[in-house]
Amino acid sequence: MTATPRFTDPDPDLGALYGDLADNDLQPLWKLTGLLTPEPVVRTRPYRWRADMLRRMAERSGQLVGIDRGGDRRVLACANPGLGGAPYATSSMWAAVQYLGAGESAPAHRHTPAALRFVLEGEGVWTLVDGDPLRMSTGDLILTPSMTFHEHHNPGGEPMMWMDVLDLPMVAGLDAVFFEEGPTEEPTLRTGEMSGSERVWGGGPGLLPARGKSRHTRPHSPLLAYRWADTDRALAASLADSGGADAELRFADPTSGGDVMPTMRCEMRRLRAGGRSGFRQQTGSRVATVLSGTGTASIGEESFSLGPGDIFAVPSWARYGLEADEELDVFSVTDAPVLEALGLYREQDC
Amino acid sequence: MTATPRFTDPDPDLGALYGDLADNDLQPLWKLTGLLTPEPVVRTRPYRWRADMLRRMAERSGQLVGIDRGGDRRVLACANPGLGGAPYATSSMWAAVQYLGAGESAPAHRHTPAALRFVLEGEGVWTLVDGDPLRMSTGDLILTPSMTFHEHHNPGGEPMMWMDVLDLPMVAGLDAVFFEEGPTEEPTLRTGEMSGSERVWGGGPGLLPARGKSRHTRPHSPLLAYRWADTDRALAASLADSGGADAELRFADPTSGGDVMPTMRCEMRRLRAGGRSGFRQQTGSRVATVLSGTGTASIGEESFSLGPGDIFAVPSWARYGLEADEELDVFSVTDAPVLEALGLYREQDC
Amino acid sequence: MTATPRFTDPDPDLGALYGDLADNDLQPLWKLTGLLTPEPVVRTRPYRWRADMLRRMAERSGQLVGIDRGGDRRVLACANPGLGGAPYATSSMWAAVQYLGAGESAPAHRHTPAALRFVLEGEGVWTLVDGDPLRMSTGDLILTPSMTFHEHHNPGGEPMMWMDVLDLPMVAGLDAVFFEEGPTEEPTLRTGEMSGSERVWGGGPGLLPARGKSRHTRPHSPLLAYRWADTDRALAASLADSGGADAELRFADPTSGGDVMPTMRCEMRRLRAGGRSGFRQQTGSRVATVLSGTGTASIGEESFSLGPGDIFAVPSWARYGLEADEELDVFSVTDAPVLEALGLYREQDC
Amino acid sequence: MTATPRFTDPDPDLGALYGDLADNDLQPLWKLTGLLTPEPVVRTRPYRWRADMLRRMAERSGQLVGIDRGGDRRVLACANPGLGGAPYATSSMWAAVQYLGAGESAPAHRHTPAALRFVLEGEGVWTLVDGDPLRMSTGDLILTPSMTFHEHHNPGGEPMMWMDVLDLPMVAGLDAVFFEEGPTEEPTLRTGEMSGSERVWGGGPGLLPARGKSRHTRPHSPLLAYRWADTDRALAASLADSGGADAELRFADPTSGGDVMPTMRCEMRRLRAGGRSGFRQQTGSRVATVLSGTGTASIGEESFSLGPGDIFAVPSWARYGLEADEELDVFSVTDAPVLEALGLYREQDC
């Protein structure tokens, strides 16, 4: 335990005061620096994890490490090198790849940190959320909101890998982490043509059940799967409507139009081949991944070439822009709902 | 102008008082009856307008009356016989059939009363809302919200008919009717593969544009067309999910989950062949029409056989239930959002 | 019962069509006029009921009519001469004077129409709302929201009179009137130093109970009495802050900042002696009364001199302004919350 | 900069994998412990800073350190000994005492972290918020919300001390700190009988300005001062109403009923002499101070005697209760609005 720091001063009275302050667990504001800076001073660094490296590491882990070790999940966390060894992609979000071999399953648990899964490639795994089986395929966004039981199983013949994003750093920072194992270690190997969540809430744009369930009574979207076929078609329509270089969708709670979860905003952006987005900066951080296409991400003073499966991190208030070589589809998660709820959200072109 | 009523009394002092009250435009509460009744005493009667009659009347009107007469709309209003000659289907809603011949057009205007169109049969007409062309086909719900310019044109070779529902009685009762002709009497004969409204807001369940437009800034849904293909699929999924005798959807503003317009709730109900809904009563009235199937509506003490294209009215607080012979799809409009907003909504099984 | 009107036409085919339409309870839009007008065409007339007349009539009623006759309330309703004999001050609001003699009481009942009481002169009566005793004194605003049991008793030695305003025309127009007698005809003669409502919710600006009750869970304000001492002081502070000719307060639900009841907005306006308000028009109607001072109300094309206790009605969209001779305090009720909720509110200087 | 940690393993393949993972800025979940704990594992410790010590330290600082050093504020921050030397009272809140000598002034600045001031003793200092002068006296709560310019000056003859609470750890954790100096280093020595904020928004319970300003358009309360006279009277009324051992008020935004600022909830609790509160635990932390009275705080496994001016910290999910010897008034700040907004708030009796 680091003690309260003791400031020193050549003046003996001041020196004595500083010693007494430290002994009484007080700190003099006038000796503290860097607390109130003109703009955010962030530790998160612009960073990119390469797809081929991620896949290679995940496969080696699959060969060497059983699913039943530690946490019942075979997960490799992106550790932003600016964060002093913490296993976080940015100061507010955990990002990772999760790898599940053919025939493997990861049993149910739940926790206050909310998670989402974005499938970069492949299919065949099922995620059960409170028992409701959600098929996972390329381009799908699957939600496992705060305190919902979730488990994964892979009845197929091929291993599969996807990206996990969690709000863990925020929940931990607020001292609000709770965790529970599921009722049994036995996996529930349920599958199904369409999840109950999608049957009830995924009818179509603006179509909700008429009775009871129709109201927004939970803090997250009741629709737990956003399918690539819908997202792809909506991006195409939106791009056609604007006629511009890019289009961007927000994944929303159909019962409120709000974000899918109170801590994370999910977006999908498409740039036409050769297109450039403008540059923007916004408070709060971003974790993103490339679903398809190639291009370049400019983040702060750095730029990174991008290809399918790459994951990258954008720090708070960093200048950020994309450029597409081939048509580029990028999925992003930000903590914007938190900054908005707290009156701290800012954005500007730059 | 009826004057303030003069109550009389055999007692000369009271008689004189009643005369003086009337002369001073006052009325004694103790002589007024029927103001505060244990339950709503309504004038709207349970009623049904038959599809074949509506079609026959519309066709004869099409032959005899040009589109350019009175109001630039060839509209036959359902006049509930309980409402003393008023051209309203219920005390709070206008319902009508509108008929547009091949090659005809109805020029743009706008007004504070909000309207919606539900297509019972046919296709080929386009409704432009603030210039955005919306194709109209069987089973589609088309919105022309308060103060949006709207016009219709029929470039096809066949006449077409649909149901209009407006909140006119409510808006008139609040002394808030405003009306404006469009900028020109010339029709805008625009068509298009997909409306801008649908390209931007109709991407799919929970898919919204990411920037700016994404927020709920108007009092009505920005999605102006709800397509039958979506509604049909969602009804089927919902029915599969519940396993029950019927399923009911609410048409919602995708940016808020609220009703499509602040004065009217739109719902679509499907009963399996042979199915019965329960009986309910709710405050506020209902206008409904049958898209397909046959069955019976029980309304208050009466019952009406139903077939495709029939329109019927359910008074406030009347006991209401449906029974299907063949699978029955019923589209309804109620004023429930108004009653909810004012704290006056009640419903109960009965 | 007036039947559906039969339009006629010299052309025999059209005449036959119009007959058949009427027989089938349909009305041709092109024969209907006055439905969609450029601006509201209202029946409510600008009108004023004089204080001395109101008091004289109330006193005579007090002498001649027992409190137990009809409705258990001795109430004289202001009947706007434009409304064809209906007992309403405007198309949307009931306004009346209620008179309770020394020692009299009016037993408990409740109903969906919401009511408020504004005390123009005197004191000594208690209104119990769901059993909570609220003292009534000059300048106080007392709420008896929808479906709260309310009763009045006058333990003092003097008769007392106050203004009632109800949303009855709106609730009746929506076919949503419900009424219940209280559990007993026996009056509850309870009094108390301060009502429970005020102890819990009336602590001060921005002071709410910390637990449970603190949330906005009902559609109306839990604070049921707004005391003149507070209103007077707030008007003075607001007038001092603006430095202008007038100040206007809105009575708000302290748990939400919204209006005190979902159907009626209450406001209190003070004009300095010699001051003039601007002219405005707004959709929806207004009932107002003068607490103190003298001046003139301009309403539409008419103007009315004003003195303490006068009640006046302002129709929807009528040009309205006030002018003070002596410092003038005017209490107003409008249906603005309804027009706002339905997206129909407009206002403009004129 | 600590590098990504390198896990080791006796198995050479696993050891090699762990090395490669570290080289690629990845961390294996199964080697990470303590991320997802059954209940919050917190570093904040139950702690109390004694009033006499705080006053002595503040006075010595006043003698030795000019107001113009470092940050233009003479502030001593409570450093919770569990937080490894960070100058924070809890993981989410900064708490401090600020001392301003007779005739001193602290010039204007603004920042995204929101602050509030609670006066434990004395009077005579003015805080200007965006130029509006707010007098500070014992028991008053003064808000300086996010990005409002604020400055302090002490025109009186006595030094004065108060408690500051800021949401700095949360805003810093979200990388959203922005800071600006005021337009001038010259202090604005304005005073005034009543602040503009109070004239407009502090009229009384449920009294708001009628026009324009009346709507909730900022994320914080427009009422910036909550006066002890009001708080005291409201506590007394609330205690009388409940008849219980204690009463607790929440300071609210009068335009919304919500918390005064989006990141901090302020409450004032009164325990009768000899009274005991129950024990509760809630997610999120609390900083509290005693305005008057004596008693004991039980926090987690520890207990602290309390007297006027003591400041204490309650960690997230710690069991917390109060016991009064003399009548005890305790002012608290929690981060509950943040936990509620993010769906992470839990509380329970324990």
Side-chain angles (χ1 to χ4, degrees):
Chain A
M1 177 69 56
T2 311
T4 297
R6 306 180 81 81
F7 296 99
T8 56
D9 200 280
D11 176 83
D13 287 345
L14 263 179
L17 173 64
Y18 293 154
D20 290 348
L21 288 174
D23 289 342
N24 286 291
D25 293 299
L26 294 175
Q27 296 192 31
L29 173 61
W30 59 92
K31 300 293 285 183
L32 304 173
T33 54
L35 285 179
L36 293 169
T37 52
E39 294 206 343
V41 173
V42 305
R43 298 193 306 147
T44 301
R45 283 175 40 189
Y47 208 68
R48 179 205 50 206
W49 293 261
R50 277 288 192 197
D52 56 352
M53 179 278 290
L54 291 168
R55 187 170 301 108
R56 215 163 51 234
M57 293 293 145
E59 285 168 355
R60 279 173 62 191
S61 300
Q63 290 152 6
L64 296 172
V65 181
I67 188 68
D68 53 339
R69 285 178 82 136
D72 289 325
R73 299 292 190 270
R74 191 186 292 107
V75 163
L76 300 176
C78 296
N80 191 295
L83 295 176
Y88 298 145
T90 74
S91 52
S92 63
M93 283 181 288
W94 164 284
V97 290
Q98 182 162 174
Y99 183 91
L100 197 65
E104 287 186 331
S105 62
H109 63 206
R110 65 177 185 176
H111 36 70
T112 45
L116 60 90
R117 330 286 169 180
F118 186 76
V119 183
L120 288 164
E121 200 187 319
E123 59 183 334
V125 167
W126 295 80
T127 290
L128 275 67
V129 181
D130 287 333
D132 188 17
L134 301 145
R135 176 179 41 83
M136 298 176 75
S137 302
T138 307
D140 291 348
L141 167 63
I142 306 292
L143 308 181
T144 59
S146 180
M147 290 310 284
T148 53
F149 281 110
H150 51 280
E151 56 191 302
H152 314 288
H153 69 97
N154 184 354
E158 296 295 324
M160 192 178 144
M161 193 176 97
W162 62 88
M163 179 173 75
D164 287 339
V165 182
L166 282 86
D167 57 7
L168 177 57
M170 289 186 279
V171 180
L174 290 166
D175 291 332
V177 172
F178 291 83
F179 173 90
E180 287 174 38
E181 297 288 357
T184 166
E185 274 292 296
E186 286 305 294
T188 315
L189 302 177
R190 192 176 302 140
T191 65
E193 201 183 342
M194 184 187 263
S195 67
S197 162
E198 290 166 276
R199 279 199 301 264
V200 176
W201 303 104
L207 295 176
L208 297 178
R211 301 223 153 263
K213 302 178 185 173
S214 184
R215 305 299 166 165
H216 182 65
T217 55
R218 21 195 159 189
H220 59 80
S221 174
L223 181 62
L224 300 173
Y226 295 77
R227 299 297 174 190
W228 175 243
D230 291 325
T231 309
D232 183 35
R233 190 177 49 236
L235 282 168
S238 185
L239 207 51
D241 185 71
S242 75
D246 69 336
E248 192 170 21
L249 296 180
R250 184 169 62 87
F251 296 89
D253 179 340
T255 67
S256 70
D259 288 298
V260 289
M261 299 193 289
T263 48
M264 295 188 280
R265 174 166 299 163
C266 296
E267 294 167 321
M268 189 91 205
R269 188 170 203 164
R270 173 168 292 173
L271 271 83
R272 293 183 202 274
R276 289 159 185 266
S277 75
F279 288 97
R280 288 188 74 75
Q281 57 187 167
Q282 67 183 55
T283 47
S285 68
R286 178 185 301 266
V287 167
T289 190
V290 178
L291 177 65
S292 65
T294 57
T296 306
S298 297
I299 310 173
E301 302 300 308
E302 302 188 48
S303 75
F304 300 92
S305 68
L306 296 178
D310 289 353
I311 293 175
F312 59 97
V314 182
S316 182
W317 210 234
R319 180 177 179 269
Y320 168 57
L322 290 173
E323 196 176 334
D325 298 332
E326 303 162 47
E327 184 179 82
L328 185 67
D329 285 345
V330 173
F331 172 78
S332 279
V333 188
T334 73
D335 52 9
V338 177
L339 288 123
E340 288 180 352
L342 307 190
L344 296 166
Y345 188 70
R346 293 188 184 196
E347 60 172 12
Q348 63 184 31
D349 294 320
C350 58
Chain B
M1 177 67 59
T2 312
T4 298
R6 307 180 81 81
F7 296 99
T8 55
D9 200 279
D11 176 83
D13 286 345
L14 263 180
L17 173 64
Y18 292 154
D20 289 348
L21 289 175
D23 289 343
N24 284 292
D25 293 299
L26 295 175
Q27 297 191 30
L29 173 60
W30 59 92
K31 299 292 285 184
L32 305 172
T33 53
L35 285 179
L36 293 169
T37 51
E39 294 206 342
V41 173
V42 306
R43 298 193 305 148
T44 301
R45 284 176 38 191
Y47 209 68
R48 178 205 52 205
W49 293 260
R50 277 284 191 200
D52 55 352
M53 180 277 292
L54 291 168
R55 187 170 300 110
R56 215 164 50 233
M57 293 292 144
E59 284 168 358
R60 278 172 63 189
S61 299
Q63 289 151 8
L64 295 172
V65 181
I67 187 69
D68 53 339
R69 282 178 85 136
D72 288 325
R73 298 293 191 270
R74 191 187 292 107
V75 163
L76 300 177
C78 295
N80 190 293
L83 296 175
Y88 298 147
T90 73
S91 53
S92 64
M93 285 182 286
W94 164 285
V97 289
Q98 183 163 174
Y99 183 89
L100 198 64
E104 287 187 331
S105 62
H109 63 207
R110 65 177 184 175
H111 37 69
T112 45
L116 59 90
R117 327 289 170 180
F118 186 77
V119 183
L120 288 164
E121 198 188 319
E123 60 182 333
V125 167
W126 295 80
T127 289
L128 276 68
V129 181
D130 288 333
D132 189 15
L134 300 145
R135 177 178 41 82
M136 297 175 76
S137 303
T138 306
D140 291 348
L141 167 64
I142 306 292
L143 308 181
T144 59
S146 181
M147 290 310 284
T148 53
F149 281 111
H150 52 280
E151 56 192 302
H152 314 288
H153 69 96
N154 184 353
E158 298 294 325
M160 192 179 146
M161 195 176 96
W162 62 88
M163 178 174 75
D164 287 339
V165 182
L166 282 86
D167 57 8
L168 177 57
M170 288 186 280
V171 180
L174 290 166
D175 291 333
V177 171
F178 292 82
F179 173 89
E180 286 174 39
E181 297 287 358
T184 166
E185 274 291 296
E186 286 305 296
T188 315
L189 302 177
R190 191 177 302 140
T191 65
E193 200 183 340
M194 183 186 263
S195 67
S197 162
E198 290 166 276
R199 280 199 300 264
V200 176
W201 303 104
L207 295 175
L208 297 177
R211 302 221 151 264
K213 299 177 188 176
S214 184
R215 303 304 167 162
H216 182 65
T217 55
R218 24 196 156 186
H220 60 80
S221 173
L223 180 62
L224 300 174
Y226 295 77
R227 298 300 174 187
W228 175 244
D230 290 326
T231 309
D232 183 34
R233 191 176 48 236
L235 283 168
S238 185
L239 207 49
D241 185 69
S242 74
D246 69 335
E248 192 169 22
L249 296 180
R250 185 169 60 88
F251 296 89
D253 179 340
T255 68
S256 71
D259 288 298
V260 290
M261 300 194 288
T263 48
M264 294 189 280
R265 173 165 300 161
C266 297
E267 293 167 321
M268 189 91 203
R269 187 170 204 166
R270 173 168 294 172
L271 271 84
R272 294 186 203 272
R276 287 160 187 265
S277 75
F279 288 97
R280 287 188 76 73
Q281 57 187 166
Q282 66 182 56
T283 48
S285 66
R286 178 184 302 265
V287 167
T289 191
V290 178
L291 178 63
S292 65
T294 56
T296 305
S298 298
I299 310 173
E301 303 299 308
E302 303 189 45
S303 75
F304 301 92
S305 68
L306 298 178
D310 289 354
I311 293 175
F312 58 97
V314 182
S316 181
W317 210 233
R319 180 176 180 268
Y320 168 56
L322 291 173
E323 194 176 335
D325 297 332
E326 303 162 47
E327 184 179 84
L328 184 67
D329 284 346
V330 173
F331 173 77
S332 278
V333 187
T334 73
D335 52 8
V338 177
L339 288 125
E340 288 181 351
L342 308 190
L344 296 167
Y345 188 71
R346 295 187 184 197
E347 59 172 12
Q348 62 184 32
D349 292 320
C350 57
Chain C
M1 177 67 60
T2 313
T4 298
R6 306 180 82 81
F7 297 99
T8 55
D9 201 278
D11 176 83
D13 287 344
L14 263 180
L17 173 64
Y18 292 154
D20 290 348
L21 289 175
D23 289 342
N24 286 291
D25 293 298
L26 295 175
Q27 297 191 31
L29 173 60
W30 59 92
K31 299 293 284 183
L32 304 174
T33 53
L35 285 179
L36 292 169
T37 51
E39 295 206 342
V41 173
V42 306
R43 298 194 304 147
T44 301
R45 282 175 40 189
Y47 208 68
R48 179 206 50 205
W49 293 260
R50 277 286 192 198
D52 54 354
M53 179 278 292
L54 292 168
R55 186 170 302 110
R56 214 165 49 234
M57 292 294 146
E59 285 167 357
R60 277 173 63 190
S61 301
Q63 290 152 4
L64 295 173
V65 182
I67 188 67
D68 52 338
R69 282 179 87 134
D72 290 324
R73 299 293 191 269
R74 191 185 293 107
V75 163
L76 300 177
C78 296
N80 191 293
L83 295 175
Y88 299 147
T90 73
S91 53
S92 64
M93 284 181 288
W94 164 285
V97 289
Q98 183 164 172
Y99 182 90
L100 198 64
E104 287 186 329
S105 62
H109 63 206
R110 65 178 185 175
H111 37 69
T112 46
L116 59 90
R117 328 287 168 182
F118 186 76
V119 183
L120 288 163
E121 199 187 319
E123 61 183 331
V125 167
W126 295 80
T127 290
L128 275 68
V129 181
D130 288 334
D132 189 16
L134 300 145
R135 176 180 41 83
M136 298 175 76
S137 302
T138 306
D140 291 347
L141 167 63
I142 305 292
L143 309 181
T144 59
S146 181
M147 289 312 283
T148 54
F149 281 110
H150 52 280
E151 56 192 303
H152 315 288
H153 69 97
N154 184 354
E158 296 294 324
M160 192 179 145
M161 195 177 94
W162 62 88
M163 178 173 75
D164 287 339
V165 182
L166 282 86
D167 57 8
L168 177 58
M170 289 186 278
V171 180
L174 290 165
D175 291 333
V177 171
F178 291 83
F179 173 89
E180 286 174 40
E181 297 289 355
T184 165
E185 275 291 298
E186 285 305 295
T188 315
L189 302 176
R190 191 177 301 139
T191 64
E193 199 184 343
M194 184 187 263
S195 67
S197 162
E198 290 166 275
R199 281 199 300 263
V200 175
W201 302 104
L207 295 176
L208 297 178
R211 303 221 152 263
K213 302 177 186 174
S214 184
R215 304 303 168 162
H216 181 65
T217 54
R218 21 195 159 187
H220 60 79
S221 172
L223 180 62
L224 300 174
Y226 295 77
R227 298 297 173 191
W228 175 243
D230 291 325
T231 309
D232 183 35
R233 190 176 48 237
L235 282 168
S238 185
L239 207 50
D241 184 70
S242 75
D246 69 336
E248 192 170 21
L249 296 180
R250 184 169 62 87
F251 295 89
D253 178 339
T255 68
S256 70
D259 288 299
V260 290
M261 300 193 287
T263 48
M264 294 188 280
R265 174 166 299 161
C266 297
E267 294 167 321
M268 189 91 202
R269 189 170 202 165
R270 173 168 293 173
L271 270 84
R272 293 184 203 274
R276 288 160 186 266
S277 75
F279 289 97
R280 289 186 74 74
Q281 56 187 168
Q282 67 182 55
T283 48
S285 67
R286 177 184 303 265
V287 167
T289 190
V290 178
L291 177 64
S292 64
T294 57
T296 305
S298 299
I299 310 172
E301 303 299 308
E302 302 188 46
S303 74
F304 300 91
S305 67
L306 297 179
D310 289 353
I311 293 176
F312 59 98
V314 183
S316 181
W317 209 233
R319 181 177 181 268
Y320 169 57
L322 290 173
E323 196 175 334
D325 298 332
E326 303 162 46
E327 184 178 82
L328 185 66
D329 284 347
V330 174
F331 172 77
S332 279
V333 188
T334 73
D335 53 7
V338 177
L339 288 125
E340 288 181 351
L342 307 190
L344 296 167
Y345 188 71
R346 295 189 183 195
E347 60 171 13
Q348 63 185 29
D349 293 321
C350 58
Chain D
M1 179 67 57
T2 312
T4 297
R6 307 181 81 81
F7 296 99
T8 56
D9 200 281
D11 176 82
D13 287 345
L14 263 179
L17 173 64
Y18 292 154
D20 289 349
L21 288 174
D23 289 342
N24 285 293
D25 293 299
L26 295 175
Q27 297 191 31
L29 174 60
W30 59 92
K31 300 291 285 182
L32 304 173
T33 53
L35 286 179
L36 292 169
T37 52
E39 293 207 342
V41 174
V42 307
R43 298 194 304 148
T44 301
R45 283 175 39 190
Y47 208 68
R48 179 205 49 206
W49 293 260
R50 277 284 191 202
D52 56 353
M53 179 279 291
L54 291 168
R55 186 170 302 109
R56 215 164 49 233
M57 293 294 146
E59 284 167 357
R60 278 173 63 189
S61 300
Q63 290 151 6
L64 295 173
V65 181
I67 188 69
D68 54 338
R69 283 178 85 135
D72 290 325
R73 298 293 191 268
R74 191 186 292 108
V75 163
L76 301 176
C78 296
N80 190 295
L83 295 175
Y88 298 147
T90 73
S91 53
S92 64
M93 284 181 288
W94 163 285
V97 289
Q98 184 163 173
Y99 182 91
L100 198 64
E104 286 187 331
S105 63
H109 63 206
R110 66 177 184 175
H111 37 70
T112 47
L116 59 90
R117 330 285 170 182
F118 186 77
V119 183
L120 288 163
E121 199 188 318
E123 59 182 333
V125 168
W126 294 80
T127 289
L128 276 67
V129 180
D130 287 335
D132 188 17
L134 301 145
R135 177 179 42 81
M136 297 174 77
S137 302
T138 307
D140 291 348
L141 167 63
I142 306 292
L143 308 181
T144 58
S146 180
M147 291 309 284
T148 53
F149 280 110
H150 52 280
E151 56 192 301
H152 314 288
H153 69 97
N154 185 353
E158 296 295 324
M160 191 179 145
M161 194 175 95
W162 62 88
M163 178 173 75
D164 286 340
V165 182
L166 283 85
D167 58 7
L168 178 56
M170 288 186 279
V171 179
L174 290 166
D175 291 332
V177 172
F178 291 82
F179 174 90
E180 286 174 41
E181 297 288 358
T184 165
E185 274 293 296
E186 285 306 297
T188 315
L189 302 177
R190 191 176 303 140
T191 65
E193 199 184 341
M194 183 187 264
S195 67
S197 162
E198 289 165 278
R199 279 199 300 264
V200 176
W201 302 105
L207 295 175
L208 297 178
R211 303 222 150 264
K213 301 178 186 175
S214 184
R215 304 301 167 166
H216 183 63
T217 55
R218 25 197 156 184
H220 60 80
S221 173
L223 180 62
L224 300 174
Y226 295 76
R227 299 298 174 190
W228 175 243
D230 290 325
T231 309
D232 183 34
R233 190 176 47 235
L235 283 168
S238 184
L239 207 51
D241 185 69
S242 75
D246 69 336
E248 192 169 23
L249 297 179
R250 183 169 62 87
F251 296 89
D253 178 340
T255 68
S256 71
D259 289 298
V260 290
M261 300 194 289
T263 48
M264 294 188 281
R265 173 165 301 162
C266 297
E267 293 167 321
M268 189 91 203
R269 188 170 203 165
R270 172 168 294 172
L271 271 83
R272 294 185 203 272
R276 289 161 186 264
S277 75
F279 288 98
R280 288 187 75 74
Q281 57 187 168
Q282 66 182 56
T283 48
S285 66
R286 177 185 303 266
V287 166
T289 191
V290 178
L291 178 64
S292 65
T294 57
T296 305
S298 298
I299 310 172
E301 304 298 307
E302 303 189 45
S303 74
F304 301 91
S305 67
L306 296 178
D310 289 354
I311 294 175
F312 59 98
V314 182
S316 181
W317 211 231
R319 180 176 180 269
Y320 168 57
L322 290 174
E323 196 176 333
D325 297 332
E326 303 163 48
E327 184 178 83
L328 185 67
D329 284 346
V330 173
F331 172 78
S332 278
V333 188
T334 72
D335 52 8
V338 177
L339 287 123
E340 288 181 352
L342 307 190
L344 297 167
Y345 187 71
R346 293 188 187 197
E347 60 173 12
Q348 62 185 32
D349 293 321
C350 58

